[in-house]
């Protein structure tokens, strides 16, 4: 018997220009609570601070653009101490921070960096600097609203969820750029999850002290470090993903404990589970593509993660003989744990001493008596695996729809996971890395997904209900199409087009295209492409149904 469930197909032609809201110029500090709505585009002109006691609410689907400014006065949104941001996007309608030059149709790519400043969140949680507070990197020290730090580790700076930050990191001076998302003294009462930083001119994410946790974070094609912590950061992180550009990108983690002094307390001690880190390419041209570095007395615990395809080393833990405390002492004290991880291919070779380094970073200081990094990571109790192919579905660093960081069936990373603490934050998994064999949680709301870097098939099986998005900019809209049917051998279905089947099989047919939530149109997609799936495998698209059915 033929089983057929067919939702109606609705094609709607609209004139986008008539639906656009206003461009709202924002060039002054926000001193009273307000809401930015998705029917407008907000243009940041210079540094804009949300001041103490004020909440900025941003509707799902809202676009905020940073105007190009002189380097020392880069456009940025800064949530000052005591201020709050309530930016709660959705998978279908993320909040986008980008450059004014971004037409949101793919005109800017992974090499377009430093076109505006970025987003900064400042709080009152503890840091380990001598004074307990400081002026955040990237903002002049003469600006009092740039201060961060305090004594409240549960400080709440608001919610930052389903947000994409693109093409930021404006150069303020030599070695002084803004990160995509900078967090200074942000407390554990703040929610940071489902955040992408794409094509930033400095680090993707950086934490200066504080205790804020983060989940589902994407750092893609950024110029410097994927993730960076300093000054006593002690938060929890899970489900992180980075992919480096073929030509730029530095550490998978740049992990610093203290600055002034290096032995200041509280010590940096974050806990990380389920990180997938893909470098620039083990045989590529980017010699700065390297794995994590632990230095300046940082601690930290990293479990269930995958590090693969970096040109340089896999991990470095430094001794600093000129300092009273250093990261080698944190390792000896049990404050560093690197366990249940998988290390794939690295350009430096396959020997443990090439992959895992233990230098004295003090100039002229004596070399450590042993390679404690090798001893720790290769110790049987740590259950790390080295020189092991993680078997991702596919690695691509081009906008060709072929990036799929999920694990293949049979991947060694599907086994050997440690169980995280049952503390209400961490999610227990049986696999290593940020993705399993099922759906790609980063697909529908990121620029990686919406601009055609991710393979559309990677979105199948996920729980976010994300839309597949391709070919931005069309004026043709198609909505409310979702067809799932079973064809009996020799029968034909007619869901607006025809599909011949020669065997009984359940398939899914869908139309995909860029969402138009920023224009106030919900559940509408532009320039749709028809796709046919058998299970999680895409077997045809557009009007080409020649795949095996």
């Amino acid at each position: 018997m033929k089983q057929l469930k067919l939702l109606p197909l609705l094609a709607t032609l609209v004139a986008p220009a008539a639906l656009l809201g206003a461009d709202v110029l924002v060039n002054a500090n926000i001193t009273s609570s307000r809401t930015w709505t998705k029917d407008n585009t907000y243009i940041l002109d210079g540094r804009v601070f949300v001041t103490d006691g004020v909440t900025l609410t941003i509707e799902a689907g809202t676009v905020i653009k940073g105007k190009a400014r002189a380097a020392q006065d880069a456009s940025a949104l800064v949530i000052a101490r005591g201020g709050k941001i309530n930016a709660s996007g959705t998978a279908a309608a993320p909040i986008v921070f980008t450059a004014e030059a971004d037409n949101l149709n793919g005109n800017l790519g992974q090499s377009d960096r430093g076109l505006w400043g970025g987003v900064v969140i400042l709080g009152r949680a503890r840091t380990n600097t001598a004074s307990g507070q400081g002026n955040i990197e990237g903002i002049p020290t003469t600006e009092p609203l740039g201060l961060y730090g305090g004594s409240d580790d549960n400080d709440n700076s608001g919610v930052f969820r389903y947000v994409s930050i693109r093409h930021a990191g404006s150069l303020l001076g030599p070695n002084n750029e803004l990160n995509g998302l900078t967090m200074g003294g942000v407390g554990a009462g703040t929610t940071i999850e489902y955040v992408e930083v794409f094509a930033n001119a400095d680090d993707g994410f950086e934490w200066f002290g504080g205790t804020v946790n983060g989940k589902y974070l994407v750092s893609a094609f950024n110029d410097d470090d994927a993730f960076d912590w300093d000054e006593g950061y002690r938060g929890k992180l899970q489900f992180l993903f980075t992919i480096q550009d073929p030509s730029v990108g530095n550490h998978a983690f740049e992990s610093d404990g203290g600055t002034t002094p290096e032995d200041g307390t509280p010590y940096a001690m974050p806990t990380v589970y389920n990180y997938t880190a893909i470098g620039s390419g083990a045989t590529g041209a980017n010699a700065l593509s390297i794995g994590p570095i632990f230095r300046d007395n940082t601690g930290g615990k990293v479990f269930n993660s995958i590090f693969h395809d970096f040109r340089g080393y896999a991990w470095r833990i430094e001794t600093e003989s000129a300092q009273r405390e250093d990261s080698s002492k944190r390792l000896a004290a049990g404050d560093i744990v690197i366990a249940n991880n998988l290390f794939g291919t690295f350009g430096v070779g396959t020997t443990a001493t090439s992959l895992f380094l233990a230098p004295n970073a003090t100039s002229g200081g004596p070399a450590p008596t042993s390679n404690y990094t090798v001893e720790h990571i290769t110790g049987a109790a740590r259950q790390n695996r080295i020189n092991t192919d993680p078997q991702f579905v596919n690695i691509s660093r081009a906008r060709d729809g072929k990036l799929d960081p999920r694990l293949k069936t049979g991947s060694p990373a599907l086994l050997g996971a440690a169980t995280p603490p049952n503390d209400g934050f961490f999610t227990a998994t049986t696999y290593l890395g940020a993705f399993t064999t099922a759906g790609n949680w980063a697909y529908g709301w990121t620029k990686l997904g919406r601009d055609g870097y991710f393979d559309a098939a990677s979105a199948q099986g996920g729980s976010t209900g994300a839309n597949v998005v391709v070919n931005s900019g069309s004026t043709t809209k198609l909505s409310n199409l979702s067809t799932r049917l079973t064809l009996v051998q020799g029968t034909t279905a007619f869901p607006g087009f025809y599909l011949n089947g020669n065997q009984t099989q359940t398939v899914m047919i869908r139309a995909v295209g860029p969402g138009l939530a920023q224009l106030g149109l919900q559940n509408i997609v532009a320039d749709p492409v028809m796709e046919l799936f058998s299970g999680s495998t895409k077997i045809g698209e557009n009007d080409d149904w020649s795949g095996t059915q």
Side-chain angles (χ1 to χ4, degrees), residues 10 25 74 87 104 111 155-156 213 216 229 236 264 286 319 332 336 344 355 357-358 385 396 502 509 523:
L10 173 62
L25 188 69
L104 299 174
S111 62
D155 188 37
N156 183 354
N213 304 321
Y216 303 108
W229 68 68
K236 305 168 188 176
N286 180 20
T319 289
I336 293 176
L355 293 168
L357 308 184
R385 285 166 283 175
S396 173
N502 57 24
I509 305 162
N523 302 316

Side-chain angles (χ1 to χ4, degrees), residues 209-431:
T211 52
V212 64
N213 304 321
K215 215 166 188 178
Y216 303 108
L217 308 181
V218 176
S219 182
F221 305 130
N222 297 310
D223 186 75
D224 198 2
D225 307 310
F227 300 96
D228 190 336
W229 68 68
D230 312 87
E231 299 181 359
Y233 173 60
R234 287 153 290 129
K236 305 168 188 176
L237 302 171
Q238 190 176 25
F239 301 124
L240 312 183
F241 173 59
T242 190
I243 185 163
Q244 293 182 336
D245 186 89
S247 60
V248 299
N250 198 197
H251 299 96
F253 282 129
E254 184 177 78
S255 311
D256 301 300
T259 304
T260 306
E262 288 193 7
D263 61 353
T265 57
Y267 291 160
M269 207 79 63
T271 301
V272 181
Y273 279 79
N274 296 93
Y275 180 19
T276 292
I278 301 174
S280 293
T283 60
N286 180 20
L288 297 178
S289 173
I290 44 185
I293 183 171
F294 276 25
R295 64 188 181 190
D296 297 343
N297 197 39
T298 191
K301 301 180 180 182
V302 181
F303 303 90
N304 295 358
S305 296
I306 301 171
F307 301 91
H308 179 61
D309 217 19
F310 289 85
R311 170 77 180 273
Y313 59 72
W315 211 295
R316 172 179 170 131
I317 303 174
E318 291 186 352
T319 289
E320 295 174 89
S321 57
Q323 300 290 332
R324 186 177 68 87
E325 297 287 346
D326 60 28
S327 289
S328 69
K329 292 185 173 66
R330 299 280 63 72
L331 179 68
D335 295 333
I336 293 176
V337 178
I338 303 163
N340 300 87
N341 302 297
L342 188 150
F343 297 90
T345 303
F346 292 80
V348 295
T350 60
T351 65
T353 53
S354 297
L355 293 168
F356 308 116
L357 308 184
N360 188 345
T362 299
S363 179
T369 57
S370 67
N371 189 325
Y372 45 79
T373 308
V374 167
E375 293 169 359
H376 178 81
I377 291 178
T378 63
R382 299 303 171 201
Q383 299 184 54
N384 295 302
R385 285 166 283 175
I386 66 174
N387 301 318
T388 302
D389 184 355
Q391 298 182 31
F392 297 124
V393 174
N394 195 56
I395 296 175
S396 173
R397 300 174 181 85
R399 195 162 80 178
D400 57 7
K402 295 181 179 179
L403 174 61
D404 190 342
R406 296 177 303 161
L407 302 174
K408 292 180 180 178
T409 300
S411 164
L414 292 170
L415 302 172
T419 302
N422 183 15
D423 60 1
F425 173 78
F426 288 113
T427 301
T429 71
T430 58
Y431 57 89

Side-chain angles (χ1 to χ4, degrees), residues 118-132:
V119 180
V120 181
I121 303 176
L122 306 176
R124 292 192 169 110
R126 289 183 297 158
T127 74
N128 63 15
T129 61
S131 65

Side-chain angles (χ1 to χ4, degrees), residues 425-449:
F425 173 78
F426 288 113
T427 301
T429 71
T430 58
Y431 57 89
L432 313 186
F435 308 95
T436 182
T437 57
N440 175 358
W441 51 261
Y443 186 89
W445 55 276
T446 60
K447 185 175 173 74
L448 284 176

Side-chain angles (χ1 to χ4, degrees), residues 142-222:
T142 55
E143 174 54 74
L145 291 174
L147 289 171
Y148 66 97
S151 59
D152 183 4
D153 281 348
N154 290 314
D155 188 37
N156 183 354
S157 296
V159 175
F160 206 66
R161 175 188 294 123
Y162 283 112
V163 177
S164 177
I165 303 170
R166 308 171 181 179
H167 312 295
S170 182
L171 178 67
L172 306 181
N175 299 312
N176 187 15
E177 305 93 352
L178 282 166
N179 307 295
L181 179 59
T182 301
M183 292 159 280
V186 179
T190 308
T191 298
I192 306 285
E193 59 185 13
Y194 296 101
V195 180
E196 174 195 42
V197 176
F198 182 99
N200 199 75
D202 194 27
D203 301 333
F205 298 77
E206 185 161 8
W207 295 266
F208 292 87
T211 52
V212 64
N213 304 321
K215 215 166 188 178
Y216 303 108
L217 308 181
V218 176
S219 182
F221 305 130
N222 297 310

